[in-house]
């Protein structure tokens, strides 16, 4: 992946929209991002990770991630990231989330969209799965492209299973994981085989003899069926005729019984019909009149009750209105005198202010007097402190000439310190060289037991292995020949006349070859082959061990040469350092004299420093007294000004008095004046409030009184109208009774109380008359049809028994024929299935043998682990190229038998130890070497022209020399078509990297980005 452009807004410390154009940075091959702690450097990598995967290292989904990522001064966060993937296609990822305007802590779920650049336009994608585009999961993206803080050593410390899964994803090793495929095929084949074997158990009795026997039985049963059918047809015709005749006689008797019942019901039906007609006539004429009468009576009763209630309300309203008029008349004179009373209230308020100002003026005069005395006291203290400062300054001037120059002491002290350091370094370097010589001697002792020629041992071992291989090939050929004889002997013993030969297919075997038993000879040859393999393996291990010892010796020899070069450089530095001593005041060989003079100078400097501290303390006291003097003068000025202002205010208030006189109140106590003012003020307020309240109540009740009078008048009018309507209804009822020839309304109510459903009754009468006529006609038709016939029950019963007996015989004969025919059909189908199943069984058994071999080969993902270990060892070899150089050939990385990383320490006899024992700086070096090797492998696997690698930590753990080595390693990556970005605050790196981004944090604007 190659970044093109990143846009940030409202994310972490980025408040304003910031844009990074990576094209200028990536062209340089190596660039940096620098800034102080907390400026927002790592936020750039978090933004890229979140834009692509929706994941970050600092926060997860449970941490209210959207709220915590958003800048607290922003209401929207936006990330836009353009990049080129391994297929050299251009993509864009955007994520945006906004704050709820009504709830500050509610930040909505981010919206995400991916685009692809096609035909000079950004085309939205239907998915947001960056793993498809980049070819890496989020976890492996952090390990191979962008390595965030705290994650740099993750790959180094991964467990074997997690590392295998990572290698599997990055290098597509799942193509070697065929275990599941073979297991699925094996399970499917086993299942099909079990099903076939189970199915074949049901066909054990199916054969051709059984089918022939069933066909003979079918012929005999068919003859019996034909004979029974002839007899049954004759009896069936006679039985059907008698059965129909019996049914007709039974129906006739049933119809006559029903007709007798209907004749009796006809009388009641006629009476019901008459009642229904009378009820219908009364209901239509009188029901509307009676309903209207009830309605009018109910309404006039309700209106009379309502009239009584409303008249009572009217009387209460009139009484309340008269009471308010009376109260307003009594308060009116006091209200009219309210204006004069308010003027007096205002004059009293002014007089109160004047009395308060008079008291405050007396207080200010007293404070002014005291302040003037304090000013004189402070001026005297100032003079005393000034004299102390002058005395201390004179003592300081006397001591200064006696002190040596601090720069001179510093330079000479540094020279002696550097001399001591170089001497110690020379001694340590000599000890290192002696140590390397001892190591080389020990390794030479390790080689003595092998008794080899170091120049020719490889060719000697190669010759021995080739000899063993030739012997093994001869034995293998002989073993193959014997195995063929053994197999032929097995085939010969299995041959029997009538059975086909597996080789030629012949059924007769007149001359069967006889073979001797070769098992003992085969076992002996196998033991010899195993012995040769053991010898070969022993030679290979010995060769590998010798090469390993020689590699260690080579490294120690190189280290010895390197240490000797360092020794020469240290000696040169010491000579040059001795020449640089140019101070005549001191002796280069007498450091003690220098230390004594330096201590004397330090003592004088301490005395001067103490005097300066006293001067500073007194100066602070002087400044404090000056501040106090200024403060007191300002206070005195303020007192005088306030006194003048209050006297002026008293005069102004006296001029504004309209009714009262200031002289009458000037000598009075202020408490007495306040009591008079409060009493008058409360009386004025109560008078005004009571008058306004009574007047408002009067205005509110006046329209209610008029409205209530109108309501009472309308109710009286409506009652009069209802009385007329009731009289009219009574006349119409009497007229209707006369017309319909009824005595009174009670007779009508008795008829209506029957509540007859007229329509339902009419339907009932009509249905009865139709049913009566139908049954009457059916009886006449049946009597006409049966007048020439008679029915005997004994004859019918005898015929029915004969019919049932012949019917049962026919059913038995027919069932027997059908059963045998079905069985024949079933046996023929089953026999055909059995033949097909036997063919399938043979094929599945052969396939099972092949799948068993494949299962053993791919069992437990062993093949994938084997391939993964090859990739890991290649990765380890590539990483060591840089790790050796960074550690000056002192350390290297290797894989142990469990495929876990270990460190080989050449300073300790080349022994291995855990990677967890590395220092912080060494851990960074090996992690960087591994990460670069891993990224190179990913680049090679993706077949991309260029690739990108970002580092966000580690340089702070390195010394200056290590930083230079790491920087040289990173610079060399440009030649390998690699682009590397660095996040750091190490100034040495900032000075060496040609192109970089500088991140600054402004208190108002947030994080800002500029290209340096």
């Amino acid at each position: 992946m190659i970044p093109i452009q990143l846009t940030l807004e409202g994310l972490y410390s980025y408040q304003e929209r910031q844009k990074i154009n990576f094209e200028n940075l990536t062209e340089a091959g190596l660039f940096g991002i620098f800034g102080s702690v907390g400026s927002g450097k790592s936020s750039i990598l978090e933004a890229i990770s979140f834009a692509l995967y929706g994941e970050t290292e600092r926060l997860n989904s449970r941490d209210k991630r959207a709220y915590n990522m958003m800048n607290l001064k922003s209401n929207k966060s936006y990330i836009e990231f353009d990049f080129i993937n391994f297929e050299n296609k251009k993509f864009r990822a955007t994520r945006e989330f906004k704050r709820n305007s009504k709830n500050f802590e509610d930040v909505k779920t981010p919206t995400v969209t991916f685009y692809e650049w096609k035909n000079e336009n950004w085309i939205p994608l239907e998915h947001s799965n960056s793993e498809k585009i980049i070819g890496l999961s989020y976890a492996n993206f952090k390990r191979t492209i962008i390595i965030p803080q705290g994650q740099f050593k993750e790959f180094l410390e991964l467990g074997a299973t997690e590392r295998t899964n990572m290698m599997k994803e990055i290098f597509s090793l799942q193509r070697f994981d065929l275990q599941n495929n073979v297991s699925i095929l094996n399970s499917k084949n086993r299942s099909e085989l079990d099903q076939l074997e189970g199915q074949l158990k049901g066909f054990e009795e199916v054969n051709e003899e059984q089918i022939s026997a069933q066909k003979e039985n079918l012929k005999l049963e068919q003859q019996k069926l034909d004979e029974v059918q002839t007899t049954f047809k004759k009896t069936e015709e006679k039985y059907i005729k008698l059965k129909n005749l019996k049914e007709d006689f039974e129906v006739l008797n049933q119809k006559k019984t029903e007709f007798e019942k209907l004749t009796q019901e006809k009388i009641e039906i006629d009476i019901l019909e008459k009642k229904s007609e009378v009820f219908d006539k009364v209901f239509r004429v009188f029901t509307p009149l009676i309903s209207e009468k009830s309605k009018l009576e109910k309404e006039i009763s309700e209106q009379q009750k309502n009239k009584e209630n409303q008249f009572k309300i009217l009387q209460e309203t009139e009484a309340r209105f008269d009471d308010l008029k009376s109260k307003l008349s009594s308060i009116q004179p006091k209200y009219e005198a309210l204006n004069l009373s308010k003027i007096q209230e205002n004059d009293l308020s002014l007089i109160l202010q004047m009395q308060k100002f008079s008291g405050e003026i007396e207080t200010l005069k007293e404070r002014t007097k005291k302040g003037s005395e304090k000013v004189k006291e402070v001026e005297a203290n100032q003079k005393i402190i000034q004299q102390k400062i002058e005395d201390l300054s004179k003592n300081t001037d006397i001591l200064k000439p006696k002190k040596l120059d601090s720069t001179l002491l510093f330079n000479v002290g540094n020279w002696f310190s550097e001399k001591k350091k170089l001497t110690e370094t020379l001694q340590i370097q000599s000890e290192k060289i002696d140590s390397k010589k001892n190591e080389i001697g020990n390794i030479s002792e390790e080689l003595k037991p092998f008794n080899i020629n170091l120049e020719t041992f490889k060719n000697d071992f190669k010759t021995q292995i080739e000899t063993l291989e030739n012997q093994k090939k001869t034995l293998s050929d002989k073993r193959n020949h014997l195995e063929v004889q053994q197999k032929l002997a097995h085939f010969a013993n299995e041959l029997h006349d009538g059975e086909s030969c597996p080789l030629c297919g012949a059924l007769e075997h007149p001359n069967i070859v006889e073979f001797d038993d070769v098992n003992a000879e085969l076992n002996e040859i196998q033991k010899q082959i195993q012995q040769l393999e053991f010898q070969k393996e022993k030679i290979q291990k010995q060769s590998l061990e010798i090469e390993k010892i020689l590699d260690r010796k080579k490294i120690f020899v190189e280290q010895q040469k390197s240490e000797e070069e360092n020794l020469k450089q240290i000696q040169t530095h010491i000579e040059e350092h001795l020449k640089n001593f140019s101070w005549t005041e001191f002796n280069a060989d007498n450091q003690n004299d220098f230390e004594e003079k330096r201590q004397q100078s330090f003592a004088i400097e301490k005395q001067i420093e103490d005097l300066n501290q006293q001067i500073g303390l007194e100066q602070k006291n002087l400044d404090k007294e000056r501040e106090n003097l200024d403060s007191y003068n300002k206070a005195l000025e303020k007192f005088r000004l306030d006194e003048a202002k209050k006297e002026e205010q008293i005069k102004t208030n006296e001029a504004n008095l309209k009714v009262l006189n200031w002289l009458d109140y000037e000598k009075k106590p202020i408490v007495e004046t306040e009591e008079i003012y409060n009493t008058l003020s409360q009386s004025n307020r109560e008078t005004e409030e009571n008058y306004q309240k009574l007047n408002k109540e009067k205005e509110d009740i006046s329209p209610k009184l008029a409205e209530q009078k109108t309501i009472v008048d309308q109710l009286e009018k409506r009652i009069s109208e209802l009385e007329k309507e009731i009289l009219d209804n009574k006349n119409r009822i009497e007229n209707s009774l006369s017309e319909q020839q009824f005595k009174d309304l009670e007779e009508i109510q008795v008829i209506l109380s029957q509540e007859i459903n007229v329509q339902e009754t009419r339907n009932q009468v009509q249905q009865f008359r139709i049913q009566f006529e139908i049954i009457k006609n059916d009886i006449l038709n049946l009597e006409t049809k049966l007048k020439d016939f008679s029915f005997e029950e004994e004859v019918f019963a005898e015929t029915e028994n004969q019919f049932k007996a012949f019917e049962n015989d026919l059913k038995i004969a027919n069932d027997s024929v059908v059963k045998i025919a079905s069985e024949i059909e079933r046996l023929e189908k089953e026999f055909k299935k059995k033949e097909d199943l036997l063919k399938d069984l043979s094929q599945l058994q052969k396939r099972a043998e092949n799948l068993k071999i494949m299962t053993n080969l791919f069992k437990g993902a062993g093949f994938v682990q084997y391939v993964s270990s090859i990739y890991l060892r290649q990765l380890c070899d590539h990483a060591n190229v840089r790790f050796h150089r960074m550690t000056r050939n002192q350390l290297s990385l290797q894989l142990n038998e469990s495929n876990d990383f270990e460190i080989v320490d050449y300073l300790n006899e080349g022994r291995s130890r855990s990677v967890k024992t590395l220092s912080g700086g060494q851990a960074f070096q090996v992690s960087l070497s591994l990460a670069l090797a891993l990224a190179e492998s990913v680049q090679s696997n993706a077949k991309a022209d260029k690739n990108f690698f970002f580092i966000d930590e580690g340089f702070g753990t390195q010394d200056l020399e290590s930083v230079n080595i790491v920087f040289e390693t990173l610079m060399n990556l440009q030649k390998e078509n690699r682009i590397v970005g660095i996040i750091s605050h190490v100034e040495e790196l900032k000075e060496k990297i040609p192109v970089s981004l500088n991140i600054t944090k402004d208190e108002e604007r947030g994080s800002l980005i500029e290209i340096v």
Side-chain angles (χ1 to χ4, degrees):
M1 183 202 76
I2 305 296
I4 300 174
Q5 183 172 281
L6 176 66
T7 302
L8 297 173
E9 181 183 356
L11 190 77
Y12 290 126
S13 57
Y14 289 88
Q15 182 179 342
E16 299 179 1
R17 178 164 289 205
Q18 302 288 303
K19 186 174 290 187
I20 301 173
N21 186 351
F22 280 102
E23 291 181 336
N24 296 332
L25 301 174
T26 54
E27 283 178 4
L30 178 65
F31 66 91
I33 297 179
F34 297 97
S36 59
V37 175
S39 61
K41 304 185 298 297
S42 298
S43 299
I44 294 173
L45 301 194
E46 290 240 351
I48 294 174
S49 298
F50 189 67
L52 294 173
Y53 293 93
E55 296 286 348
T56 65
E57 281 305 296
R58 299 188 206 178
L59 302 166
N60 57 41
S61 56
R62 297 187 301 274
D63 296 329
K64 294 177 65 177
R65 177 163 53 200
Y67 169 77
N68 286 307
M69 287 180 70
M70 183 178 288
N71 185 281
L72 292 175
K73 294 182 180 179
S74 301
N75 293 320
K76 182 184 81 169
S77 292
Y78 180 73
I79 309 172
E80 179 183 284
F81 181 53
D82 298 351
F83 61 96
I84 297 173
N85 75 338
F86 63 92
E87 297 174 317
N88 210 29
K89 293 181 180 179
K90 188 174 176 183
F91 291 91
R92 169 176 288 176
T94 65
R95 288 186 190 261
E96 182 177 10
F97 41 104
K98 297 180 179 179
R99 197 186 302 280
N100 189 334
S101 58
K102 297 180 180 178
N103 184 358
F104 184 82
E105 294 187 359
D106 180 20
V107 178
K108 297 178 180 177
T109 304
T111 58
V112 54
T113 310
F114 276 68
Y115 302 86
E116 183 177 358
W117 182 257
K118 289 183 178 179
N119 301 323
E120 302 302 316
N121 283 303
W122 287 110
I123 308 300
L125 301 180
E126 295 180 355
H127 69 87
S128 59
N129 187 347
S130 57
E131 193 169 333
K132 291 183 180 178
I133 298 171
I134 298 174
L136 292 172
S137 65
Y138 175 60
N140 290 331
F141 180 79
K142 293 187 300 177
R143 296 167 183 151
T144 58
I145 293 183
I146 289 183
I147 304 182
Q149 286 183 347
Q151 301 289 320
F152 207 67
K153 295 195 297 179
E154 183 186 6
F155 176 58
L156 184 68
E157 297 175 353
L158 278 179
T161 302
E162 291 178 329
R163 193 185 297 116
T164 299
N165 291 335
M166 175 186 168
M167 302 292 285
K168 189 174 174 181
E169 177 187 319
I170 292 175
F171 298 109
S172 302
L173 300 186
Q174 61 270 15
R175 64 186 187 276
F176 299 111
D177 188 1
L178 303 177
Q179 179 185 2
N180 288 338
N181 295 344
V182 174
S183 178
I184 291 168
L185 290 173
N186 196 23
S187 298
K188 183 179 178 183
N189 192 74
R190 184 69 260 170
S191 175
E192 292 176 1
L193 200 57
D194 291 342
Q195 289 178 4
L196 277 177
E197 290 174 350
Q199 289 175 1
L200 283 168
K201 287 179 181 178
F203 294 95
E204 291 176 354
E205 297 180 358
V206 177
N207 51 57
E208 292 180 345
E209 291 80 5
Q210 192 179 14
I211 294 172
S212 299
Q214 290 293 340
K215 286 182 178 179
E216 290 297 327
N217 291 337
L218 181 61
K219 289 179 181 178
L220 296 174
E221 291 298 323
Q222 186 67 46
Q223 291 175 0
K224 291 180 183 179
L225 176 63
D226 293 342
E227 293 173 359
V228 172
Q229 278 181 337
T230 302
T231 307
F232 174 76
K233 285 181 180 179
K234 293 178 182 178
T235 306
E236 184 182 26
E237 291 174 0
K238 182 179 178 182
Y239 172 72
I240 290 172
K241 289 178 181 179
L242 289 173
K243 185 180 179 183
N244 291 337
L245 186 62
K246 179 185 178 183
E247 289 174 355
D248 287 342
F249 274 103
E250 288 175 349
V251 170
L252 177 61
N253 292 331
Q254 183 184 355
K255 294 289 183 183
K256 286 180 178 180
T257 303
E258 290 179 8
F259 187 71
E260 289 175 1
K261 290 180 180 179
L262 290 174
T263 302
Q264 293 174 1
E265 292 177 7
K266 189 173 181 301
I267 299 169
E268 296 177 2
I269 292 296
D270 292 340
I271 295 170
L272 180 62
E273 185 177 16
K274 288 180 182 179
K275 282 184 179 181
S276 174
E277 294 300 327
V278 173
F279 178 85
D280 183 43
K281 182 174 71 173
V282 171
F283 184 83
R284 284 186 286 103
V285 174
F286 289 97
T287 299
L289 294 172
I290 293 170
S291 176
E292 183 183 4
K293 179 176 180 294
S294 300
K295 180 181 176 184
L296 291 171
E297 289 174 348
K298 182 179 179 182
E299 185 178 356
I300 197 169
S301 175
E302 291 174 352
Q303 294 293 348
Q304 286 173 347
K305 288 181 182 178
N306 194 14
K307 176 188 171 184
E308 292 174 2
N309 293 334
Q310 294 297 332
F311 188 73
K312 186 178 180 181
I313 294 170
L314 175 62
Q315 289 176 332
E316 292 173 352
T317 307
E318 286 176 340
R320 175 66 180 153
F321 185 75
D322 293 340
D323 182 57
L324 289 171
K325 286 172 66 179
S326 174
K327 288 180 179 179
L328 277 170
S329 298
S330 64
I331 202 173
Q332 186 71 29
K334 198 173 182 180
Y335 180 75
E336 289 173 352
L338 188 62
N339 287 335
L340 179 61
S341 184
K342 282 187 175 182
I343 292 171
Q344 291 177 352
E345 179 185 346
N346 186 58
D347 283 357
L348 281 171
S349 174
L350 293 172
I351 289 169
L352 272 174
Q353 285 184 358
M354 293 162 72
Q355 287 179 330
K356 288 178 182 178
F357 290 152
S358 297
E360 289 172 356
I361 287 170
E362 292 299 323
T363 303
L364 287 170
K365 286 179 178 178
E366 183 66 24
R367 293 178 71 182
T368 301
K369 181 181 178 182
K370 291 180 180 179
S372 300
E373 294 173 355
K374 191 68 177 176
V375 167
K376 293 177 182 178
E377 182 182 339
V378 171
E379 287 174 345
N381 288 339
Q382 270 186 323
K383 292 178 181 179
I384 294 169
I385 293 170
Q386 187 69 42
Q387 185 60 45
K388 284 184 180 179
I389 292 172
E390 290 175 359
D391 294 342
L392 290 171
S393 298
K394 289 177 182 178
N395 293 336
T396 303
D397 293 338
I398 293 169
L399 289 172
K400 280 183 179 179
K402 299 178 182 179
K403 185 178 86 67
L404 293 174
D405 182 38
S406 57
T407 305
L408 173 66
L409 290 174
F410 178 77
N411 292 334
V412 176
N414 283 346
W415 187 91
F416 279 112
S417 297
E418 184 65 20
K419 177 185 176 184
K420 183 179 178 182
K421 184 179 177 182
L422 287 170
T423 305
E424 291 173 353
T425 304
L426 181 66
Q427 183 179 354
I428 293 169
Q429 194 65 29
S430 299
E431 291 173 358
K432 283 184 179 180
I433 293 171
D434 293 338
S435 174
K436 299 299 177 189
K437 289 178 179 178
N438 291 335
E439 293 288 349
I440 294 169
N442 292 336
I443 293 172
S444 299
E445 289 297 322
E446 290 180 26
L447 289 171
K448 286 182 179 179
F450 293 106
N451 194 20
I452 57 168
N453 186 336
L454 294 178
E455 295 180 357
T456 62
F457 81 95
K458 289 185 178 180
N459 291 331
D460 295 341
F461 282 157
K462 185 177 179 183
T463 303
Q464 292 177 30
I465 290 172
E466 288 176 353
T467 303
L468 291 173
E469 287 288 348
N470 292 332
Q471 292 175 6
K472 179 184 173 183
K473 186 175 183 304
T474 303
L475 289 171
S476 295
D477 292 342
K478 189 175 181 181
R479 182 186 61 185
N480 292 338
H481 179 69
L482 291 173
E483 285 177 346
V484 172
Q485 285 187 6
Q486 188 183 43
K487 198 69 176 175
L488 290 173
H490 172 72
F491 286 142
N493 292 332
E494 293 294 322
L495 290 178
H496 301 286
D497 288 340
E499 295 181 0
S500 61
C501 174
L503 299 178
C504 64
L507 297 175
E508 295 180 356
H509 321 290
N511 299 311
I512 297 175
V513 180
E514 295 183 1
F515 295 94
D516 296 330
D517 186 5
V518 294
N519 284 332
E521 193 173 354
L522 272 172
N523 291 335
E524 182 60 30
I525 290 172
Q526 186 63 34
K527 289 180 181 177
Q528 293 177 12
I529 291 173
Q530 290 176 353
Q531 185 63 29
L532 291 173
E533 285 287 348
F534 176 75
Q535 293 177 9
K536 177 184 172 184
E537 186 177 351
K538 182 179 178 183
I539 293 170
Q540 288 174 336
K541 284 183 178 179
Q542 194 176 41
S543 175
L544 187 63
E545 189 174 354
I546 292 168
E547 287 181 359
K548 191 173 181 180
I549 293 170
L550 289 174
D551 287 341
R552 283 167 51 210
K553 183 178 180 181
K554 181 181 177 182
I555 290 171
F556 282 123
V557 169
E558 290 176 355
Q559 290 177 352
Q560 181 185 342
K561 291 179 181 178
S562 175
E563 299 297 349
E564 288 174 348
E565 287 293 327
N566 290 339
L567 180 64
K568 291 179 182 178
Q569 291 178 3
I570 292 169
Q571 290 171 342
T572 303
H573 288 162
I574 291 173
E575 292 173 0
E576 291 176 354
H577 186 67
L578 291 172
K579 293 177 183 177
N580 290 333
F581 192 87
S582 58
W583 300 282
T584 57
E585 300 92 332
F586 304 104
N587 186 353
D589 297 325
N590 191 351
Q591 185 175 354
N592 293 332
D593 177 60
F594 163 73
E595 292 295 339
E596 287 177 4
K597 290 180 179 179
R598 183 161 67 171
Q599 292 303 321
Q600 291 173 2
S601 179
F602 284 165
I604 293 169
E605 188 173 5
K606 181 69 170 60
Q607 291 176 10
I608 294 171
E609 186 178 343
D610 292 341
L611 289 171
N612 286 333
Q613 286 180 354
Q614 293 180 28
I615 292 170
L617 185 61
E618 293 299 331
Q619 187 67 46
K620 286 181 181 178
N621 293 334
L622 181 61
D623 292 341
K624 186 176 180 181
E625 292 298 330
R626 285 172 179 170
E627 289 176 2
N628 291 337
L629 182 62
D630 291 342
S631 175
Y632 293 147
N633 286 329
K634 287 178 182 177
L636 286 173
E637 184 64 28
K638 185 175 184 301
F639 293 159
R640 295 188 185 99
L641 185 62
D642 288 348
E643 184 179 341
K645 285 181 179 178
K646 293 183 187 302
E647 289 176 349
E648 183 64 29
Q649 189 65 43
I650 290 172
K651 293 178 182 179
T652 303
N653 285 4
E654 185 177 5
N656 289 330
L657 293 176
K658 295 181 180 179
V659 177
L660 302 178
N661 192 342
W662 164 240
L663 297 176
D664 297 337
Y665 291 89
E666 185 176 9
K667 303 301 182 181
K668 278 186 179 182
I670 190 169
V671 176
E672 183 180 342
T673 307
E674 283 181 345
E675 186 177 352
I676 296 169
Y677 170 76
N678 291 334
T679 303
L680 181 61
S681 176
Q682 184 177 358
S683 175
N684 291 342
R685 186 169 60 256
E686 288 176 353
T687 300
E688 186 173 14
E689 289 177 354
N690 290 336
Y691 181 83
Q692 290 176 352
K693 181 181 178 184
L694 290 170
N695 197 48
K696 186 175 186 303
E697 288 181 1
K698 179 186 173 187
E699 291 174 355
D700 290 343
I701 206 170
S702 181
K704 290 182 180 178
L705 181 62
E707 181 184 358
Q708 198 64 32
K709 288 179 179 178
T710 304
I711 291 171
V712 172
D713 292 341
Q714 288 177 346
L715 287 172
E716 289 177 347
K717 183 178 179 182
R718 178 58 183 159
I719 290 170
S720 177
E721 291 174 353
L722 287 171
E723 288 174 347
K724 291 180 182 178
E725 290 178 6
I726 289 170
L727 181 62
D728 183 53
N729 175 262
K730 184 178 179 183
N731 293 332
R732 281 189 281 123
I733 290 173
E734 289 176 354
N735 291 335
S736 297
L737 288 170
S738 177
E739 290 174 2
Q740 299 298 328
Q741 298 178 353
F742 289 105
K743 293 179 183 180
D744 53 25
L745 198 59
E746 292 180 2
E747 186 179 356
I748 297 300
Q749 289 174 342
V750 170
I751 293 170
L752 290 173
S753 65
Q754 296 176 9
E755 296 183 354
I756 297 172
N757 190 329
V758 177
Q759 187 61 40
E760 186 178 323
T761 304
R762 286 175 179 171
N763 292 337
Q764 182 182 350
V765 171
Q766 186 179 5
Q767 289 295 328
F768 176 81
R769 298 195 187 286
I770 292 170
Q771 186 181 5
F772 185 84
E773 293 299 325
I774 289 172
I775 292 177
K776 183 179 178 182
N777 290 332
D778 288 344
I779 291 171
L780 290 174
N781 292 333
L782 285 170
E783 286 177 343
T784 303
K785 179 180 178 183
L786 298 174
K787 66 179 180 178
D788 297 329
F789 293 95
S790 62
F791 176 74
E792 296 178 7
E793 187 66 39
E794 294 81 2
V795 175
F796 176 75
E798 182 181 355
T799 305
E800 186 177 27
N801 291 335
Q802 290 176 355
F803 173 76
K804 289 181 178 178
F806 288 133
E807 186 178 38
N808 187 50
D809 293 342
L810 179 63
K811 183 177 181 303
I812 292 170
N814 187 63
D815 288 347
S816 179
V817 170
V818 171
K819 183 177 179 182
I820 294 170
S822 299
E823 180 64 14
I824 292 169
E825 184 179 0
R826 184 188 71 80
L827 288 171
E828 289 177 340
K829 289 181 179 178
E830 294 294 305
F831 187 74
K832 179 67 171 64
K833 285 182 181 178
K834 183 178 180 180
E835 291 179 336
D836 295 339
L837 290 174
L838 287 171
K839 291 179 183 177
D840 294 341
L841 180 67
S842 176
Q843 292 178 353
L844 289 173
Q845 287 173 340
K846 291 179 182 178
R847 194 177 187 201
E849 293 176 1
N850 294 331
L851 288 171
K852 184 178 180 181
I853 297 170
M854 295 176 71
T855 299
N856 293 332
L857 179 61
F858 299 114
K859 186 176 181 181
F863 194 55
V864 174
Q865 292 177 1
Y866 169 71
V867 176
S868 175
S869 67
I870 293 174
Y871 276 85
L872 271 175
R873 293 186 188 283
Q874 291 176 349
L875 197 65
C876 191
D877 293 340
H878 292 158
N880 273 329
V881 174
R882 294 188 177 93
F883 189 44
H884 278 311
R885 186 163 63 246
M886 290 184 190
T887 61
R888 306 175 189 88
N889 296 322
Q890 294 177 1
L891 302 174
S892 68
L893 191 68
Q894 71 175 18
L895 285 169
N896 61 18
E897 295 176 355
S898 302
N899 273 346
D900 289 326
F901 287 117
E902 289 183 343
I903 295 298
V904 177
D905 190 346
Y906 295 112
L907 296 180
N908 292 287
E909 301 178 357
R911 299 183 185 278
S912 60
R913 55 187 171 96
S914 170
V915 293
K916 295 180 180 179
T917 62
L918 293 173
S919 66
Q922 291 171 333
F924 170 74
Q925 291 172 344
V926 70
S927 298
L928 175 61
S929 302
L930 260 180
L932 291 171
L934 183 61
E936 287 168 357
S937 299
V938 170
Q939 175 185 355
S940 176
N941 190 51
K943 299 179 181 178
D945 294 335
K946 289 186 176 182
N947 216 323
F948 181 66
F949 184 69
F950 223 128
I951 306 171
D952 183 13
E953 68 171 290
F955 297 99
T957 63
Q958 306 293 295
D959 56 30
L960 182 59
E961 187 176 356
S962 298
V963 168
N964 291 333
I965 294 173
V966 171
F967 179 74
E968 181 185 348
T969 300
L970 296 177
M971 287 297 291
N972 288 333
L973 292 175
Q974 297 180 65
K975 302 173 184 176
E976 303 167 16
N977 237 4
R978 295 300 310 281
I979 301 166
V980 179
I982 298 170
I983 288 183
S984 181
H985 55 268
V986 178
E987 290 297 323
E988 289 82 356
L989 280 175
K990 186 175 181 181
E991 294 171 0
K992 294 181 179 181
I993 293 178
V995 181
S996 63
L997 298 177
N998 189 39
I999 313 297
T1000 57
K1001 190 172 181 181
D1002 186 271
E1003 291 183 2
E1004 295 295 327
R1005 301 173 62 193
S1007 295
L1008 303 173
I1009 301 171
E1010 61 176 343
I1011 296 180
V1012 181

